[in-house]
């Protein structure tokens, strides 16, 4: 529910040269949660138990509601109007760029879910780090992702403001970010412990390029009238990675006894994602939907004074 709502709000209230930074704040929060969870979650659960920790965490997650209700942007109700003007899901599905964003998002989420579910186990069981050192390495990986996201979002917006096309900026950040994600994880498969830490930190930092620009692409392509439906479908496809990545990794580790193949597969999927964003997604500019074409008012050459008629 959250990400289609984010996308709708940003598409309506932020111009193109502001969306990178706006989305990067959401991306930073997405990475900051796991960073603090890995760093402090285990210690707090060990001291207070999981039930009090769950209660405090659940209540703390509601703290944003009072300021949001106080300062959220006020707009007129346009839901019914959007339903009439916006395209249906079948029209979105027929657009090539929708599949590019959905599969590309799946690939970036595969990387994220792989680290979320298996990195602590990997660092302790295969690399023999202590729980304390594991918490610091895992937390630092996600902390760097949280810190790099706003920086990358700001840089992408500045580049657009300087005159670069949205297509060039967004695709560059997505392509470079996902290529680096895969490259650094490949190195992790055979790296020494010291090099492993450096590669994990670089992988976390490069994820900021992705999280700051990914949803901005969808918001531009879909436009305000279609972004909720497009992002809802994209969120569904992308989060299938939350089922596939943990299960496939567990299966491979159980069969082989090590993480060599899971790292290689995650890297390969990241590179597939880079190809999706660069080559399958078309120009990053608003799609003209069929419902919009029907409301174009062309000039009637047979009329006097250039009056016009509405296309049926």
């Amino acid at each position: 529910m959250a990400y289609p709502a984010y996308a709708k709000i940003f598409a309506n209230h932020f111009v193109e040269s502001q969306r990178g930074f706006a989305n990067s704040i959401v991306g930073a929060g997405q990475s900051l949660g796991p960073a603090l969870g890995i760093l402090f979650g285990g210690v707090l659960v060990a001291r207070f138990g999981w039930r009090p920790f769950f209660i405090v965490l659940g209540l703390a997650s509601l703290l944003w509601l009072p300021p949001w209700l106080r300062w959220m942007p006020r707009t007129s109700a346009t839901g019914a109007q959007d339903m009439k003007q916006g395209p249906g899901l079948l029209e979105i599905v027929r657009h090539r760029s929708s599949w590019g964003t959905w599969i590309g998002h799946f690939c970036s989420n595969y990387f994220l879910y792989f680290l979320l579910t298996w990195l602590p186990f990997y660092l302790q069981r295969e690399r023999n780090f202590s729980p304390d050192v594991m918490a610091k390495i895992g937390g630092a990986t996600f902390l760097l992702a949280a810190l790099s996201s706003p920086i990358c979002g700001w840089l992408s917006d500045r580049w657009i403001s300087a005159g670069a096309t949205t297509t060039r900026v967004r695709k560059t950040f997505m392509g470079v970010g996902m290529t680096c994600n895969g490259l650094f994880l490949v190195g992790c498969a055979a790296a020494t412990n010291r090099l492993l830490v450096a590669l994990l930190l670089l992988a976390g930092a490069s994820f900021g390029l992705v999280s700051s620009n990914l949803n901005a692409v969808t918001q531009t392509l879909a436009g305000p009238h279609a972004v909720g439906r497009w992002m809802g479908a994209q969120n569904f496809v992308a989060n299938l990675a939350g089922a596939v990545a943990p299960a496939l990794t567990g299966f491979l580790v159980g069969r082989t006894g090590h993480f060599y193949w899971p790292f290689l597969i995650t890297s390969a999927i990241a590179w597939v994602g880079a190809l999706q964003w660069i080559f399958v997604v078309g120009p990053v500019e608003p799609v003209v939907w069929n419902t919009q074409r029907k409301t174009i008012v062309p000039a009637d050459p047979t009329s006097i004074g250039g009056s016009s008629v509405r296309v049926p």
Side-chain angles (χ1 to χ4, degrees), residues 4-311:
Y6 292 148
K8 182 74 172 179
I9 292 168
F10 291 167
N12 278 285
H13 294 281
F14 292 91
V15 298
E16 187 61 54
S17 59
Q18 297 173 331
R19 288 179 188 158
F21 185 73
N23 283 282
S24 73
I25 299 302
V26 176
Q30 182 186 34
S31 298
L32 189 60
L36 297 179
I38 294 175
L39 280 173
F40 303 116
V43 175
L44 294 175
V45 169
R47 182 171 181 178
F48 300 106
W50 69 267
R51 288 181 176 86
F53 178 73
F54 272 40
I55 292 172
V56 171
L57 189 64
L59 292 176
S61 69
L62 302 178
L63 293 177
W64 68 278
L65 283 173
W68 170 253
L69 294 174
R70 173 65 178 82
W71 289 297
M72 67 179 180
R74 307 292 173 176
T75 56
S76 58
T78 58
Q81 182 181 359
D82 282 357
M83 289 294 288
K84 294 178 181 178
Q85 294 183 357
L89 184 58
L90 288 178
E91 185 178 351
I92 296 174
V93 168
R94 289 195 292 266
H95 200 281
R96 188 189 73 179
S97 289
S98 66
W99 289 97
T101 60
W102 298 347
I103 298 173
H105 198 168
F106 172 92
C107 295
S108 70
N109 269 15
Y110 192 100
F111 170 88
L112 179 63
Y113 281 118
F114 170 72
L115 293 182
L116 280 173
T117 54
W118 284 101
L119 182 60
F121 181 88
Y122 167 75
L123 292 174
Q124 286 189 262
R125 297 298 180 91
E126 184 154 324
R127 293 293 183 154
N128 299 315
F129 288 111
S130 67
D132 182 58
V133 174
M134 175 276 296
K136 291 178 180 178
I137 296 172
T141 299
F142 286 102
L143 182 60
L144 275 181
L147 293 175
S148 69
S149 184
I151 296 173
C152 293
W154 179 79
L155 289 174
S156 66
D157 287 347
R158 290 279 294 180
W159 194 4
I160 291 174
S161 297
T165 64
T166 304
T167 300
R168 181 179 182 183
V169 173
R170 303 298 184 207
K171 286 195 173 190
T172 297
F173 273 82
M174 294 303 301
V176 172
M178 297 205 69
T179 299
C180 289
N181 287 165
L183 182 64
F184 295 138
L185 281 190
V186 160
C188 290
T192 62
N193 280 1
R194 180 172 296 181
L195 181 58
L196 169 75
V197 174
L199 291 173
L200 284 174
L201 295 179
L202 289 171
S206 64
F207 188 70
L209 280 78
V210 176
S211 62
S212 58
N213 285 270
L214 188 153
N215 292 326
V217 175
T218 298
Q219 290 155 22
T220 300
L221 288 168
H225 295 303
V227 68
R229 293 185 189 87
W230 186 316
M231 193 66 213
Q234 180 174 318
N235 213 36
F236 165 73
V237 175
N239 282 297
L240 292 176
V244 177
L248 180 58
T249 300
F251 172 77
L252 293 172
V253 171
R255 292 294 297 270
T256 66
H258 56 74
F259 277 82
Y260 180 79
W261 283 109
F263 270 103
L264 291 186
I265 290 173
T266 305
S267 299
I269 290 175
W271 291 331
V272 169
L275 295 175
Q276 296 293 316
W277 290 106
I278 295 172
F279 297 110
V280 179
V281 175
V284 184
E285 54 192 36
V287 174
V288 179
W289 303 105
N290 288 333
T291 50
Q292 292 172 306
R293 294 189 185 101
K294 292 178 181 179
T295 60
I296 294 174
V297 182
D300 184 356
T302 64
S303 64
I304 298 175
S307 61
S308 58
V309 295
R310 186 174 297 275
V311 176

